Amino acid sequence: ARCELLDGTSVAAFNNYVSRQGSGSSGSGETSMPVKPTLFLEFTGHSETSVQEQVDATKAICSSNEEKNNNQDLSFKIATSESERKALWSARHQLYYASINLRKGATSAFLTDVCVPLSKFADIISSTVQDVQRLNVIGPCFGHAGDGNFHCIMPLLDEDDEEEEYLNRVHEVNDLLL
């Protein structure tokens, strides 16, 4: 089983990347996702019935939270075939290149790798997203929400073209995580 979280910037990066690659050329089958934080869950079990029970319980939790959050749209997509599963997960799997593609001229990225207690995961990833925005850095944030590990991908220009001030802000995002 897997549990991954993408922030809204990650989803926007994926949408932008897929649209630039041309419909379907990414192999994802997915052309656009709503730009909002997105949680990806993969369920496993000893039978289809046990997996369905997990899905049903998760849907119930999402529905309950939707009511608590002023009926915000918490869509729930289910993939049962391998091709559907690959299409849903393509946003996560293409995120490195999609993130680099967000910044014109970028050829590489500064990638953070932080592990936090699960009880602090939501707060820390939210504050990192805010830091990225406040510091005016391009930096999609995503994480392995099941184990408290998350990343921020901050695209960089070639060494000769990168501004020192921008690099200082990228390093400040990283320093705030430490």
Side-chain angles (χ1 to χ4, degrees):
R2 293 188 285 175
C3 180
E4 302 268 338
L5 175 68
L6 277 63
D7 72 345
T9 303
S10 297
V11 175
F14 169 73
N15 288 345
N16 183 47
Y17 184 69
V18 170
S19 70
R20 286 187 179 193
Q21 298 299 312
S23 183
S25 67
S26 69
S28 70
E30 187 79 43
T31 57
S32 184
M33 295 172 51
V35 178
K36 61 184 179 180
T38 302
L39 187 65
F40 290 83
L41 302 168
E42 185 172 85
F43 301 99
T44 59
H46 64 279
S47 69
E48 285 185 36
T49 301
S50 69
V51 171
Q52 189 58 51
E53 288 171 353
Q54 293 175 57
V55 170
D56 292 343
T58 302
K59 283 174 104 174
I61 291 167
C62 289
S63 294
S64 172
N65 283 328
E66 188 173 29
E67 292 170 12
K68 291 177 187 174
N69 291 306
N70 299 320
N71 291 317
Q72 291 179 0
D73 177 30
L74 300 177
S75 59
F76 199 95
K77 289 186 180 181
I78 298 173
T80 56
S81 73
E82 184 66 16
S83 63
E84 291 173 320
R85 185 189 70 76
K86 283 182 179 179
L88 280 176
W89 281 89
S90 65
R92 167 61 182 91
H93 294 149
Q94 297 181 49
L95 197 49
Y96 179 76
Y97 297 106
S99 297
I100 290 173
N101 195 51
L102 273 181
R103 187 167 183 221
K104 186 176 181 172
T107 56
S108 64
F110 187 100
L111 178 64
T112 67
D113 190 348
V114 181
C115 192
V116 300
L118 285 176
S119 62
K120 303 291 185 192
F121 184 82
D123 291 337
I124 292 175
I125 200 166
S126 293
S127 66
T128 302
V129 168
Q130 292 171 2
D131 291 339
V132 165
Q133 292 170 348
R134 177 179 55 79
L135 292 166
N136 197 27
V137 172
I138 296 170
C141 297
F142 67 98
H144 317 286
D147 66 9
N149 179 241
F150 80 95
H151 310 281
C152 183
I153 302 173
M154 296 174 278
L156 300 174
L157 305 175
D158 286 334
E159 284 183 39
D160 296 337
D161 296 329
E162 192 61 73
E163 298 172 13
E164 185 176 343
E165 181 185 331
Y166 186 83
L167 276 176
N168 289 339
R169 294 192 316 262
V170 166
H171 287 284
E172 185 174 347
V173 170
N174 185 63
D175 292 346
L176 290 168
L177 289 169
L178 301 177

